[in-house]
């Protein structure tokens, strides 16, 4: 067939942090762009449904079988492509674990990713989701993305502007093309010129708890890891994909109406004049935090996190998410959007 290793009827439980049992018809591991070119040329590949899989930390398999080809991105490498006295530019393979990249930067005294510590998944998924945490997003450091169009095999480089990054959003979520991120190039800052971002009150409180008065790249990373461990369940114990829903973004007029109903509703102003309402508050407000339906539940420590309590099917997690969404829509008139990629 080809020099590629095609695996058939692959159990996907080990490839998703929800720990959902599902079977892939085919799985192909890609370790270089040249292997992608070979894969795309195969009729068997083009005639089947296709799905790109990184670390499986932001995906929910809604069915017990995926009929098609899963392309497992395992392209490695962290390379310094340029630097000056203030900045270093890194080209990073899409299959590199995100935590590995963050740790590399911290070890090299390079700032910009420390607030994104302990986010699960791979580098290739980062621009698709425009991952972010504690006031920092990938878009703050991203320069470009090298992608392969799995329909044609064409490679192209997209600038940050081409990616149309938004809040947990990008062009990759709104195109009919199947684009695999082979490499990203980021621009990070050398420690002596880097200014850490510690705007969140929770971060400042945690730094004070530890007696840290002059936070560094490493200490900020350690604090972020501490906070994430406190509020998020270990997926090896309770299957989950982190925050299941995005925060709600609405116009000021909608917020004004909601404030008449709920004077205590929290919100954050965006630069474009719109407002962010924490979805965790909404879910907790209507009694879903800590609640379970069958083998699926809402984590008691964080209302945004849906968990597999043991042996849940993807359809059970999905049903729970839909029940929560419907409740919020009926009571608040707000539409919850999943942050997790749902594959049916």
């Amino acid at each position: 067939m080809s020099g590629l290793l095609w695996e058939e009827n692959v159990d996907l439980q080990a490839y998703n942090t929800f720990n959902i049992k599902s079977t892939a018809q085919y799985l192909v591991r890609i370790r270089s762009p040249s292997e992608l070119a070979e894969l795309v040329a195969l009729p068997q590949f083009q005639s089947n449904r296709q799905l790109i899989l990184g670390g499986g930390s932001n995906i929910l398999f809604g069915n017990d079988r995926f009929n098609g080809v899963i392309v497992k991105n395992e392209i490695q490498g962290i390379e310094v492509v340029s630097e000056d006295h203030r900045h270093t530019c890194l080209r990073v393979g899409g299959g590199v674990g995100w935590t590995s990249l963050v740790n590399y930067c911290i070890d090299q005294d390079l700032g910009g990713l420390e607030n994104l510590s302990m986010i699960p998944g791979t580098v290739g998924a980062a621009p698709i989701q425009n991952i972010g945490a504690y006031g920092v997003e990938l878009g703050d450091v991203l320069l470009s993305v090298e992608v392969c169009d799995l329909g044609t095999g064409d490679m192209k480089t997209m600038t940050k502007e081409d990616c149309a990054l938004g809040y947990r959003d990008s062009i990759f979520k709104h195109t009919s093309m199947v684009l695999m991120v082979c490499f990203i190039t980021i621009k990070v800052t050398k420690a002596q010129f880097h200014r850490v971002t510690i705007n969140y009150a929770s971060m400042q409180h945690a730094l004070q708890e530890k007696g840290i008065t002059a936070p560094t790249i490493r200490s900020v990373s350690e604090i972020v890891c501490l906070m994430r461990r406190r509020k998020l369940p270990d997926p090896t114990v309770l299957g989950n994909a982190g925050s299941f829903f995005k925060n709600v973004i609405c116009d000021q007029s909608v917020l004004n109406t909601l404030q008449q109903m709920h004077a205590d509703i929290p919100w954050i102003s965006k630069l474009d004049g719109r407002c962010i309402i924490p979805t965790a508050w909404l879910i907790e407000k209507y009694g879903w935090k800590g609640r379970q339906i069958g083998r699926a539940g809402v984590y008691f420590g964080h209302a945004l996190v849906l968990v597999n309590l043991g042996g849940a099917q993807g359809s059970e997690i999905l049903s729970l998410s839909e029940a929560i969404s419907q409740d919020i829509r009926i009571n608040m008139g707000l539409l919850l959007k999943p942050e997790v990629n749902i594959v049916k």
Side-chain angles (χ1 to χ4, degrees):
M1 183 183 295
S2 73
L4 297 169
L5 177 62
W6 285 71
E7 301 173 49
E8 295 188 44
N9 297 317
V10 178
D11 183 356
L12 296 173
Q13 189 169 9
Y15 296 101
N16 72 96
T17 59
F18 255 123
N19 198 30
I20 296 295
K21 289 184 177 180
S22 186
T23 302
Q25 182 180 5
Y26 301 108
L27 185 143
V28 181
R29 302 175 190 276
I30 296 297
R31 295 181 173 88
S32 72
S34 62
E35 290 182 335
L36 267 180
E38 182 181 353
L39 176 66
V40 169
L42 295 174
Q44 182 179 358
F45 177 72
Q46 294 297 346
S47 63
N48 274 290
R49 183 183 178 192
Q50 302 151 10
L51 176 69
I52 300 166
L53 185 64
S57 60
N58 196 49
I59 195 167
L60 173 64
F61 291 104
N63 296 323
D64 59 9
R65 183 171 177 83
F66 178 82
N67 289 313
V69 182
I70 288 184
V71 182
K72 187 76 169 61
N73 188 344
E74 297 185 353
I75 299 174
Q76 299 296 306
I78 301 176
E79 173 192 5
V80 176
V81 291
S82 67
E83 64 177 317
D84 57 30
H85 72 291
R86 294 178 67 93
H87 299 102
T88 298
C89 294
L90 302 172
R91 182 176 183 250
V92 189
V96 172
W98 180 258
T99 294
S100 295
L101 173 59
V102 174
N103 290 341
Y104 172 91
C105 288
I106 292 169
D107 289 342
Q108 299 299 316
D109 287 329
L110 298 172
L113 300 186
E114 59 277 3
N115 290 44
L116 307 181
S117 295
M118 230 175 98
I119 292 180
T122 56
V123 165
I128 296 170
Q129 188 74 0
N130 187 23
I131 59 172
Y134 300 107
V136 173
E137 293 181 329
L138 174 67
D140 298 330
V141 298
L142 185 69
L143 292 179
S144 63
V145 176
E146 296 167 59
V147 300
C148 178
D149 181 343
L150 297 191
T152 64
D154 294 337
M155 291 287 298
K156 67 176 180 178
T157 300
M158 302 172 64
T159 65
K160 179 172 75 171
E161 290 70 28
D162 293 334
C163 295
L165 301 179
Y167 170 63
R168 306 298 177 268
D169 199 16
S170 68
I171 191 67
F172 302 105
K173 292 188 174 184
H174 305 283
T175 177
S176 58
M177 296 182 290
V178 181
L179 300 175
M180 178 168 155
V181 176
C182 297
F183 298 94
I184 70 170
T185 300
I186 60 173
K187 184 178 183 179
V188 285
T189 308
K190 295 180 179 179
Q192 60 268 40
F193 300 105
H194 181 62
R195 192 178 204 175
V196 294
T197 300
I198 53 171
N199 300 333
Y200 275 61
S202 57
M203 292 185 69
Q204 294 172 8
H205 179 69
L207 287 165
Q208 289 171 0
E209 273 188 342
K210 294 294 183 181
I212 299 172
T213 57
T216 63
I217 293 168
R218 185 174 296 277
S219 64
V220 167
S221 172
E222 290 171 352
I223 287 297
V224 168
C225 291
L226 173 66
M227 292 192 296
R228 288 184 69 87
R229 290 191 187 100
R230 282 178 176 175
K231 71 178 184 178
L232 298 175
D234 182 344
T236 63
V237 178
L238 275 179
N240 73 92
S243 297
F244 193 92
F245 298 103
K246 299 178 183 180
N247 285 326
V248 174
I249 299 177
C250 66
D251 294 332
Q252 183 67 50
S253 59
V254 174
L255 177 63
N256 293 341
T257 300
L258 293 172
Q259 286 177 319
Q260 294 175 14
M261 302 163 50
H262 305 282
D264 59 338
I265 188 169
W267 59 279
I268 303 169
S269 178
K270 282 175 59 69
L271 292 177
D272 62 5
R274 294 186 296 167
C275 305
I276 299 173
I277 299 174
T279 298
W281 182 88
L282 297 169
I283 294 173
E284 189 167 354
K285 177 78 173 178
Y286 287 95
W288 285 97
K289 186 177 181 181
R291 186 172 167 184
Q292 66 181 75
I293 298 178
R295 297 175 290 185
V298 181
Y299 186 53
F300 69 88
H302 198 306
L304 276 183
V305 181
L306 305 190
V307 294
N308 177 356
L309 296 169
Q313 295 179 323
S315 57
E316 294 177 74
I317 305 290
L318 186 56
S319 294
L320 174 62
S321 72
E322 290 171 344
I324 295 169
S325 297
Q326 183 179 22
D327 197 18
I328 302 302
R329 181 177 55 80
I330 291 172
N331 286 286
M332 298 288 285
L334 298 173
L335 179 64
L336 299 189
K337 296 181 179 179
E339 187 170 322
V340 169
N341 179 25
I342 299 170
V343 178
K344 297 181 180 179

